[in-house]
Amino acid sequence: MANSWFRFKQFTIHQDRCAMKVTTDACLFGAWVTEQILNADKLTPITEARKILDIGTGSGLLALMLAQQTAHSIDALEIDQQAFEQARENIQASSWPDSIAMIHADARTFQPEFHYDIIISNPPFYEKELK
């Protein structure tokens, strides 16, 4: 049986209660997004912390990848109760629990009190199904 967790250099993702597991695509996407944000910050120096929204955070993978490399404030939105709880546990066990706020809500009805500078989402991938 495969592990129910995935260990990175600086954090561990537990994923036994999440429908979408850590994938190579998710890791590559997280690294690419982080690099894009870091490069943008070099071109336009940031005087205030940016606000990032991770829609459908799942296990919290992308939020944690961003938190380890940037000083931005991240809101991680998740609709599924079990995934929400697991992401919250993953984030609390990390070195960046104060950088990421978990929000248990449906993205279709979520109404933030401010605008986000960056919105990310790693869409789920389904075999043999295109919508």
Side-chain angles (χ1 to χ4, degrees):
M1 179 176 172
N3 290 334
S4 63
W5 48 268
F6 193 96
R7 187 171 319 229
F8 291 83
K9 286 184 179 180
Q10 296 181 29
F11 63 91
T12 299
I13 293 290
H14 293 275
Q15 56 186 358
D16 56 298
R17 292 177 278 157
C18 298
M20 300 299 166
K21 309 301 184 203
V22 173
T23 65
T24 302
D25 290 339
C27 295
L28 290 172
F29 180 65
W32 181 82
V33 167
T34 300
E35 187 67 23
Q36 297 303 307
I37 291 169
L38 292 174
N39 285 338
D41 289 350
K42 289 176 190 171
L43 296 174
T44 308
I46 304 302
T47 56
E48 299 177 10
R50 287 189 180 182
K51 288 292 288 178
I52 299 172
L53 176 64
D54 176 10
I55 297 175
T57 198
S59 63
L61 171 65
L62 294 181
L64 285 164
M65 289 181 78
L66 288 171
Q68 79 175 347
Q69 296 290 329
T70 72
H72 304 313
S73 174
I74 303 162
D75 287 348
L77 186 72
E78 178 56 51
I79 189 172
D80 180 77
Q81 181 67 39
Q82 295 225 17
F84 169 80
E85 290 171 7
Q86 189 144 59
R88 184 173 53 195
E89 292 166 10
N90 287 335
I91 289 163
Q92 288 302 312
S94 78
S95 298
W96 314 280
D98 296 333
S99 298
I100 305 168
M102 285 297 303
I103 301 168
H104 185 235
D106 185 333
R108 296 171 294 187
T109 58
F110 177 60
Q111 295 183 358
E113 298 176 6
F114 46 82
H115 292 289
Y116 288 95
D117 300 300
I118 300 167
I119 299 173
I120 62 169
S121 180
N122 187 27
F125 300 95
Y126 300 98
E127 291 183 25
K128 301 178 186 175
E129 184 175 325
L130 291 174
K131 291 188 178 185

